[in-house]
Amino acid sequence: MSDQADMIWWKTGVIYQIYPRSFQDSDGDGVGDLRGIKRRLPYLRELGVDAIWLSPIFVSPMADFGYDISDYTAIDPLFGTMADFDALLEAAHQHGLKLLLDLVPNHTSEQHPWFVESRSSRDNPKRDWYLWRDPAPDGGPPNNWLSEFGGSAWHYDDTTGQYYYHAFLAQQPDLNWRHPQVRAAIYEVMRFWLRKGVDGFRVDVLWHLIKDSQFRDNPPNPDYQPGRPPHEQLQPLYSADQPEVQQVVAELRAVVDEFPDRLLIGEIYLPLERLVAYYGIDLSGAHLPFNFALLSAPWHARALAELIDRYEAVLPQGAWPNWVLGNHDRPRVASRVGAAQARVAAMLLLTLRGTPTIYYGDEIGLRQLPIAPDQVRDPFEKNVPGVGVGRDGCRTPMQWDASPFAGFSTVEPWLPLADDYAQDNVVNLSAADTSLLSLYRALIALRKRQPALQLGDYQPLAAQGDVLLFRRVGGGSSLLVALNLGAAPVAVLSEQFSLDGEILLSTFMDRAGERVGATLDLRGDEGVIIGPVPDPIV
Ligand code: GLC
Ligand code: MG
C-alpha cells in the first residue's frame, strides 16, 4: 500500500451525506437550508468527517424533492441564494471540509426550459434532447418499460401525439444521452460548479443514462417476488446499464479531471460484478462507484464475510473501494439491524477498506420513522403505496437538542420528528461518553490515527458463528477487528490466528487498553479493534 498518490483526500477521508431539507432550518419555514448547514459545520468538524455531499439544492418544482431540476445552475429559494451557497462553500473549506454536489444528469424536471421547448413541437431543435417515440400500433406506450416509481415509463403528450420516456416520475423526463448537445450542456453545468470550487459530484442514477437504441422490450424477471415494487417484474436489460454508458462515464470523469483533486462518485444499484465496470477501463470512469451492498446485506457474519470477499475480489486492479451504510432512499440502518447492532455496523463501516459514507443522523441512531398515510410526502410511496418503499421515514429532521422541534426549526418541520428526540439528540449524546455519537467520533478519530485503517490491506480471518474477524494491515501496523453480530456473548479462540494485542476500542467504549492473549471474550453485540501492544517506554 500507500505511496503518495494514495494519500488523496477521498481515499483517506470519510464522506457525510446531508439531505438538505432535513439537516437544519435557519429561516423558520420548517425546511432545512444552506445557512442552516453552514451553522452546523462545527458539528461536522467535531465528528471528524472530511467531506459533505449535499442532495440536490437546485431550482426544482420538488416533485421528487430536488431530483427534478428546472435550473441546474441556480439555488432553489427554499434552500437560499447563490450568495448563501458561496458562503457555505467557503466556510466548509475553512473548516477543512470538501463539498460535493449532487449531479442529476439522467432527467430534468418537466418544467426545465429544455423540456418545455422539446415538448412544444416535433421539429423543435431540442426535440431530440429527450426520448420521444410514436405510440405502439394500438395507441399504447412504445414498449413495456416500467417506471421505477410505478406504472409505464412512457407518458403520452397530447401536444405532439408522442410518448416521452421517464425512468422515474412523469415530471422527470429522461434526457437523451446519445445526443452530443445534451452531453455538452451537462458538462458545462459541471464546469460551472467546479469553477466555483466544489470538490466533485455524486452522480444520480449513473447506470441509467443510456438506453437501448432500438427500445426493445425488457424481459420478465423470473425472480420477481410478489409484494416487491412493480417495476421489478421486468429485468431492466434494455433500459439501463448499456455498454455505451461507459463512454459517458469516461467523459464525465474527463470533465472532473479538468480540475485538480476533484471526485466523481456514481450512484449505481447493480450486482457487484456489474458495479465495478463503472470504475471504467484503466480506471477512467468513476473514482467511486457507490457500493450499496451493505444496504441489503443479511446481517450475519458469514454473509458479510462472503460479501466483503466478493467485493474485494471483483475490484479492478488499483480501484479504490467504498462502503455505504445508509442513504436517503433506503431504510435507516438502526432499523435494519437494531439499535444494539447499529454500533457494530458503525465499527464495520469505519474499519473496512475503502471510503466510508455516513448518512446524516445515523451517527445519533435515527430510526426509520413510521409515516401515517396522510403525512406521506414521498412520491414513490404515493404511487406505489403499502409495499414499504416509502422514503420519508429515513428523511426526518436531524435531532439537535431537546427544544421544541429538536433545534431543527422553530416551526413544525416538513416531515414529523421522532418522539424520542428529547433524549436522542446531538446535545445529549455528545455529553454521554459512551453514546453512539461518541463511538462514531472515536471510530473516525482512530481511523485517522491508524494508517492501517485508512489505507491498509483487508485480510479476512474468519466468520465463526456470529463473529466476523478480519485484519487491516499496512503502514507498518496490523489491526484485528472482531465483530459479534449476535446478541449472545462469545469467546473467540485464537487457534488459527493470533489475537495478541491490546484493545484500542470496543463498541461499548469501556475496554481500551485491555490486553488480549489466547482468547477474546466478546459481549453480545460487541465489536472490538485490537492493535499491537505498545512498546514499553524506556
Ligand atoms: C436517485 C435518488 C433518488 C431519486 C431518483 C430519481 O435514486 O437517490 O432519491 O428519487 O434518483 O432522481
Ligand atoms: Mg428553511
Side-chain angles (χ1 to χ4, degrees):
M1 63 157 246
S2 139
D3 55 24
Q4 239 5 61
D6 283 332
M7 291 309 291
I8 187 143
W9 63 271
W10 53 265
K11 289 187 178 175
T12 56
V14 176
I15 299 173
Y16 185 93
Q17 180 191 355
I18 291 178
Y19 194 68
R21 296 182 68 91
S22 300
F23 200 58
Q24 177 66 61
D25 180 21
S26 75
D27 59 356
D29 64 355
V31 179
D33 44 53
L34 298 180
R35 283 169 181 246
I37 295 171
K38 182 160 168 273
R39 222 180 90 198
R40 294 301 185 178
L41 292 176
Y43 166 76
L44 298 170
R45 189 200 172 109
E46 244 179 89
L47 181 59
V49 299
D50 299 275
I52 52 178
W53 147 39
L54 308 182
S55 282
I57 52 173
F58 317 105
V59 178
S60 164
M62 302 288 166
D64 191 19
F65 297 112
Y67 284 96
D68 50 320
I69 295 170
S70 53
D71 186 346
Y72 283 104
T73 53
I75 304 294
D76 195 283
L78 192 63
F79 296 123
T81 64
M82 192 59 90
D84 293 332
F85 176 79
D86 293 339
L88 172 62
L89 180 61
E90 198 190 329
H93 285 165
Q94 274 166 9
H95 281 80
L97 290 163
K98 306 283 185 183
L99 193 146
L100 307 169
L101 290 180
D102 212 310
L103 181 74
V104 188
N106 180 69
H107 43 267
T108 67
S109 161
E110 59 169 348
Q111 292 180 32
H112 196 293
W114 299 341
F115 187 70
V116 173
E117 275 194 54
S118 182
R119 93 191 306 179
S120 67
S121 77
R122 288 196 187 201
D123 53 13
N124 183 276
K126 291 215 167 52
R127 184 65 171 181
D128 292 335
W129 281 40
Y130 293 82
L131 299 165
W132 293 97
R133 308 292 287 173
D134 285 332
D138 67 355
N143 70 19
N144 72 350
W145 295 359
L146 296 174
S147 157
E148 298 231 350
F149 288 163
S152 169
W154 295 95
H155 185 88
Y156 183 73
D157 198 48
D158 281 329
T159 325
T160 53
Q162 283 191 313
Y163 284 84
Y164 68 85
Y165 176 70
H166 58 91
F168 296 91
L169 298 174
Q171 295 97 315
Q172 294 168 296
D174 279 45
L175 283 162
N176 174 13
W177 270 85
R178 293 178 186 271
H179 199 305
Q181 289 175 3
V182 167
R183 295 186 185 199
I186 295 289
Y187 301 158
E188 270 314 298
V189 169
M190 294 168 74
R191 291 188 188 101
F192 173 87
W193 294 106
L194 290 167
R195 264 185 233 117
K196 274 190 177 285
V198 309
D199 298 286
F201 301 100
R202 169 270 192 188
V203 184
D204 193 60
V205 297
L206 183 57
W207 82 113
H208 270 266
L209 296 191
I210 299 274
K211 349 295 176 188
D212 179 42
S213 59
Q214 298 168 57
F215 293 91
R216 281 169 281 187
D217 274 354
N218 279 326
N221 172 9
D223 299 326
Y224 177 71
Q225 302 285 325
R228 295 285 308 160
H231 73 273
E232 292 182 10
Q233 286 166 29
L234 301 180
Q235 289 175 272
L237 183 65
Y238 293 113
S239 50
D241 194 27
Q242 300 300 290
E244 301 97 312
V245 78
Q246 296 303 335
Q247 177 60 32
V248 176
V249 180
E251 289 178 21
L252 292 166
R253 169 64 180 275
V255 175
V256 165
D257 280 351
E258 291 168 16
F259 300 78
D261 284 350
R262 311 301 162 96
L263 172 63
L264 186 70
I265 301 178
E267 184 208 20
I268 300 145
Y269 284 94
L270 286 175
L272 293 175
E273 298 69 26
R274 287 299 315 147
L275 170 69
V276 294
Y278 287 75
Y279 284 103
I281 294 168
D282 295 331
L283 306 182
S284 61
H287 294 104
L288 302 176
F290 259 152
N291 166 13
F292 295 132
L294 291 179
L295 296 179
S296 52
W299 207 249
H300 302 298
R302 179 153 306 283
L304 286 176
E306 282 171 10
L307 183 158
I308 300 162
D309 288 350
R310 241 183 344 112
Y311 180 57
E312 286 275 348
V314 297
L315 280 173
Q317 183 69 33
W320 185 249
N322 77 89
W323 296 93
V324 176
L325 204 52
N327 67 26
H328 63 295
D329 294 325
R330 296 295 153 122
R332 287 274 182 188
V333 61
S335 298
R336 298 200 314 268
V337 304
Q341 279 294 315
R343 302 176 73 101
V344 177
M347 185 170 275
L348 177 69
L349 175 74
L350 290 155
T351 56
L352 281 171
R353 188 174 82 96
T355 305
T357 298
I358 297 170
Y359 181 49
Y360 89 94
D362 279 352
E363 76 278 21
I364 57 167
L366 289 191
R367 269 163 295 172
Q368 190 72 7
L369 192 68
I371 303 289
D374 63 336
Q375 287 188 313
V376 169
R377 305 290 304 267
D378 179 15
F380 193 5
E381 175 68 21
K382 286 183 180 171
N383 288 0
V384 186
V387 300
V389 296
R391 302 173 295 176
D392 295 323
C394 67
R395 297 173 175 179
T396 60
M398 185 65 175
Q399 299 173 185
W400 296 104
D401 59 40
S403 67
F405 313 119
F408 165 73
S409 182
T410 50
V411 300
E412 190 73 42
W414 75 288
L415 278 176
L417 275 157
D419 52 18
D420 61 13
Y421 80 82
Q423 298 83 48
D424 292 342
N425 59 57
V426 168
V427 166
N428 282 352
L429 299 193
S430 292
D433 291 343
T434 60
S435 67
L436 179 63
L437 179 56
S438 297
L439 175 62
Y440 263 93
R441 286 183 179 146
L443 281 164
I444 295 170
L446 184 65
R447 194 180 166 92
K448 288 225 151 76
R449 285 199 305 275
Q450 295 284 343
L453 289 179
Q454 283 187 322
L455 292 166
D457 292 337
Y458 172 84
Q459 292 179 1
L461 288 178
Q464 288 184 356
D466 278 334
V467 182
L468 174 65
L469 291 138
F470 58 87
R471 273 190 186 285
R472 296 294 310 284
V473 182
S477 153
S478 166
L479 303 185
L480 182 136
V481 180
L483 305 172
N484 183 359
L485 304 195
V490 297
V492 181
L493 304 176
S494 65
E495 275 155 10
Q496 298 124 19
F497 45 83
S498 162
L499 291 164
D500 276 348
E502 179 179 304
I503 294 182
L504 300 177
L505 185 61
S506 154
T507 51
F508 287 82
M509 302 188 78
D510 56 0
R511 288 176 81 175
E514 192 182 306
R515 291 287 290 269
V516 183
T519 58
L520 167 66
D521 290 312
L522 290 176
R523 287 165 281 185
D525 304 309
E526 182 176 28
V528 297
I529 303 171
I530 300 173
V533 179
D535 291 333
I537 299 160
V538 280

